[in-house]
Amino acid sequence: MKSLLAAALVCAALPALAEGSDEGKKVYMTKSCMACHGMKGAKPVMTYPALAGQNEKYLLQQLKDIKAGKRLGTVDETTGHPFVQGMVDVMHLVSDDDLKNVSKYLAEQSPGAPKPLDPAPDAETLAAGEKAYNSLGCKSCHGAEGSKPTSKNYPFVAGLNRDYLIRAMTEMRDKVRVNGQSKLMFGTIKKASDDDIQVIATWLSQIDRSAK
Ligand code: HEC
Ligand code: HEC
């Protein structure tokens, strides 16, 4: 009797689980997210962040912060507004439930292949990036090759757009981006020079999480 009841409960729960990500897909497709972050969050335009396969908790936290206007950042010289502004402008379209569902949907998508750099980085730059990442201690939170975060609250950093990575690291080092758990980054990132940030971003941006 007990197991029958348990089976009935599982059956009732399963469609509810699938519903979260189906709803999330609908949000992603209809609330303009795809225009900037690309098909399934894996092919962002310009210097925007990829979202496919990112940690669900991290995604939700950033979305809440962006909606609340807590995530600040540098100004995009081509538009005269912060990079995050385009996103802030669409956040009135989404409810708190939409944010939960879209985070779930995005976390379930497969990461895309890295965007090739032009010119292609040389082996020396890539090696310098890996060395700086390891010696500064980034691995203790973001894991080997930026691909194994040590907490579900920490983001994957491999395979993101190079310019986005440079911007994110510089903004946290210079304490422009201070929302969420960014404090956890401060102690480490303040030791990174502009050159370290450049080579780390180049190296991380070319790591292929789709192949892992
Ligand atoms: C007009 C373009 C645009 C639209 C539309 C847009 N975004 Fe964004 N999004 C951005 C940019 C640019 C950033 C990075 C901002 C920065 O550099 O600080 C970003 C950041 C994010 C982040 C944080 C990523 C990270 O790694 O920290 C999430 C999550 C996100 N967007 C999800 C969404 C969702 C979900 C939607 C639809 C409801 C959406 N975005 C709509 C441009 C956009
Ligand atoms: C103590 C843990 C910790 C260490 C060490 C650490 N980070 Fe982070 N990192 C985080 C957390 C937590 C976040 C998310 C911050 C937030 O909530 O906005 C983050 C965010 C980032 C982001 C932005 C991701 C995004 O999608 O916007 C990048 C890039 C990054 N870290 C790279 C690094 C690099 C490179 C190093 C080493 C120089 C490093 N981190 C060291 C915990 C850490």
Side-chain angles (χ1 to χ4, degrees), residues 144-158:
E145 303 201 313
S147 307
K148 282 199 161 86
T150 54
S151 155
K152 287 210 187 304
N153 295 312
Y154 300 168
F156 286 91
V157 291

Side-chain angles (χ1 to χ4, degrees), residues 24-191:
K25 180 175 181 184
K26 210 191 296 166
V27 173
Y28 190 77
M29 309 285 283
T30 60
K31 306 284 166 143
S32 81
C33 319
M34 200 168 77
C36 293
H37 296 285
M39 195 65 158
K40 299 181 177 177
K43 268 198 170 282
V45 302
M46 297 190 276
T47 65
Y48 296 175
L51 307 170
Q54 184 54 279
N55 271 338
E56 184 177 344
K57 283 190 171 173
Y58 172 76
L59 289 169
L60 182 57
Q61 183 217 322
Q62 294 303 316
L63 283 167
K64 285 182 175 162
D65 283 357
I66 292 171
K67 191 173 178 188
K70 288 187 192 156
R71 178 158 155 181
L72 307 173
T74 39
V75 169
D76 176 355
E77 278 167 17
T78 61
T79 64
H81 300 294
F83 282 91
V84 76
Q85 190 62 45
M87 254 208 78
V88 175
D89 290 345
V90 301
M91 292 314 266
H92 67 276
L93 301 172
V94 284
S95 68
D96 290 350
D97 274 350
D98 287 343
L99 297 187
K100 270 190 211 145
N101 292 334
V102 80
S103 299
K104 183 170 167 52
Y105 164 72
L106 288 166
E108 284 170 0
Q109 304 310 305
S110 309
K115 190 170 171 187
L117 297 173
D118 183 20
D122 54 35
E124 210 176 292
T125 305
L126 296 173
E130 180 168 20
K131 191 167 166 219
Y133 177 88
N134 290 331
S135 64
L136 286 167
C138 317
K139 205 158 81 172
S140 64
C141 296
H142 297 291
E145 303 201 313
S147 307
K148 282 199 161 86
T150 54
S151 155
K152 287 210 187 304
N153 295 312
Y154 300 168
F156 286 91
V157 291
L160 299 180
N161 179 282
R162 176 177 59 179
D163 292 337
Y164 175 76
L165 286 164
I166 293 174
R167 198 157 74 230
M169 287 187 264
T170 310
E171 284 171 349
M172 284 190 267
R173 186 191 60 186
D174 299 347
K175 307 223 169 115
V176 180
R177 177 173 158 182
V178 294
N179 69 290
Q181 318 157 83
S182 43
K183 272 189 217 74
L184 289 175
M185 282 276 301
F186 292 167
T188 307
I189 202 68
K190 73 171 184 220
K191 294 183 223 140

Side-chain angles (χ1 to χ4, degrees), residues 42 111-115 159 207-210:
K115 190 170 171 187
I207 293 171
D208 191 353
R209 276 182 65 215
S210 71

